[in-house]
Amino acid sequence: MKEWISDIVGLGYAQSIQIDSILYDGRSAFQHIQIATNPAFGRMLILDDAVQTTEADEFAYHEMLVHPALVTHPHPLRVLIIGGGDGGTLEEVLKHPVEHVTIVEIDREVVEISRKFLSSICDRAFDDRRVRLLIEDGIEFVRRTQERFDVILVDSTDPKGPGAALFAAEFFAACARALTDDGLLVAQSGSYIFQANLTERVVGHLGALFPEVATYWAAVPAYPGVVWSFTAGSKRHDPRTLAAQQIARRLQSVPTRYYTPPIHTAAFVLPPRPIDK
Ligand code: SAM
């Protein structure tokens, strides 16, 4: 009998995924970490029973977290990633001619396990000479840093455990301080279908800090409800105003599978929420 794991999203809904085999199963100081396989999704990183990323669909999530911001900013040279220990976001950022990427991940074991079992996702991103990996709490880093970043990407778990701090007003305020005068931030803002209150919370926090705030979505099959949201906060450049030609020009040297100029524009057109409690 095959095992199944269920990600209980709340609202009386859970998404279950069949586990063919477990390649790794351990507990770090922060969370239960598993690498499991599934016939449809391939290898999957699972933290505290929530699927974080899978070989089959990681490109959709990571491309849509990264490229709208890095194409919107006219010259993104210094990028900060909070979370993202599986390396998928980092790998997408490094496709751009950035000069320096700092990735702040609280759990060293997520990085080590991802590098060992999920090289199809992170490839050799962590070895790139432009990368600085810091193992610490993202909110502590943004509180204390004196550095300034053109783009900040928040690739966190959902708001439980150590991830809860990354959805707080104080965290986003500290991120706003750590951005350059024309910097922008994008945070994963939860399931657009089942976590309306989470998305609205992120929109509210960013709305108090940035003149331009925009939520967009991507189809990520492994995530509950598939329609996943991202919310951008920008000090100057509005991602909704980019012309297709501008996007196409920036993508000439950036290979993508999901993100295209039409997808960029369409992603900011949000479907009505069928379930909105
Ligand atoms: N794409 C996934 C999603 O949308 O759910 C997230 C992927 S990534 C694995 C999430 C990472 O955030 C985890 O490795 C976790 O350890 C890290 N994380 C959680 N809270 C953190 C914090 N306060 N500071 C830094 N990293 C944190």
Side-chain angles (χ1 to χ4, degrees):
M1 169 70 174
K2 294 288 184 191
E3 187 192 340
W4 291 72
I5 56 135
S6 290
D7 182 359
I8 299 173
V9 189
L11 285 173
Y13 176 82
Q15 175 159 295
S16 298
I17 287 188
Q18 177 187 313
I19 301 295
D20 260 0
S21 63
I22 301 271
L23 304 180
Y24 177 84
D25 193 332
R27 281 195 181 283
S28 72
F30 300 98
Q31 50 212 334
H32 183 195
I33 304 172
Q34 295 173 293
I35 299 287
T37 63
N38 169 278
F41 291 103
R43 289 187 175 188
M44 307 183 290
L45 170 66
I46 301 167
L47 300 178
D48 290 340
D49 285 343
V51 173
Q52 298 297 307
T53 193
T54 83
E55 286 183 317
D57 69 353
E58 60 83 18
F59 69 93
Y61 172 88
H62 292 123
E63 288 183 20
M64 288 305 283
L65 175 63
V66 172
H67 300 310
L70 266 73
V71 164
T72 297
H73 195 287
H75 47 77
L77 300 179
R78 298 181 63 81
V79 177
L80 171 63
I81 300 169
I82 303 290
D86 54 66
T89 296
L90 178 61
E91 197 235 357
E92 292 300 327
V93 169
L94 292 169
K95 290 179 180 175
H96 293 260
V98 297
E99 288 180 355
H100 191 275
V101 190
T102 297
I103 174 166
V104 183
E105 162 60 56
I106 200 168
D107 194 338
R108 181 184 304 280
E109 292 182 46
V110 172
V111 177
E112 292 169 351
I113 296 306
S114 299
R115 296 184 75 165
K116 181 174 180 185
F117 292 100
L118 299 176
S119 55
S120 63
I121 294 177
C122 59
D123 195 8
R124 302 185 57 75
F126 288 106
D127 300 325
D128 190 297
R129 59 171 180 71
R130 294 171 288 173
V131 174
R132 172 179 60 165
L133 169 64
L134 300 176
I135 301 297
E136 70 175 284
D137 189 332
I139 193 165
E140 295 305 325
F141 175 81
V142 291
R143 272 188 189 133
R144 67 170 171 77
T145 188
Q146 298 304 310
E147 298 175 58
R148 292 295 173 261
F149 300 92
D150 299 308
V151 174
I152 297 178
L153 302 169
V154 185
D155 182 15
S156 67
T157 43
D158 276 356
K160 51 189 175 186
L166 305 185
F167 289 87
E170 183 214 349
F171 168 71
F172 290 116
C175 287
R177 282 195 304 273
L179 283 169
T180 51
D181 292 345
D182 69 340
L184 69 152
L185 170 148
V186 174
Q188 74 91 354
S189 48
S191 169
Y192 190 70
I193 302 297
F194 292 109
Q195 293 177 310
N197 56 346
L198 180 63
T199 313
E200 294 314 321
R201 191 192 323 166
V202 174
V203 170
H205 289 334
L206 297 186
L209 296 163
F210 296 97
E212 303 298 343
V213 177
T215 297
Y216 60 96
W217 65 280
V220 187
Y223 289 172
V226 179
V227 179
W228 206 258
S229 76
F230 306 85
T231 300
S234 181
K235 291 187 176 182
R236 182 177 309 163
H237 310 291
D238 184 344
R240 294 163 294 192
T241 62
L242 260 63
Q245 301 88 324
Q246 283 177 280
I247 302 167
R249 192 167 51 250
R250 296 289 294 275
L251 285 183
Q252 279 173 348
S253 56
V254 177
T256 57
R257 295 170 60 190
Y258 185 104
Y259 179 69
T260 65
I263 284 278
H264 177 106
T265 305
F268 288 93
V269 179
L270 294 168
R273 283 201 153 108
I275 298 174
D276 197 346
K277 287 191 176 63

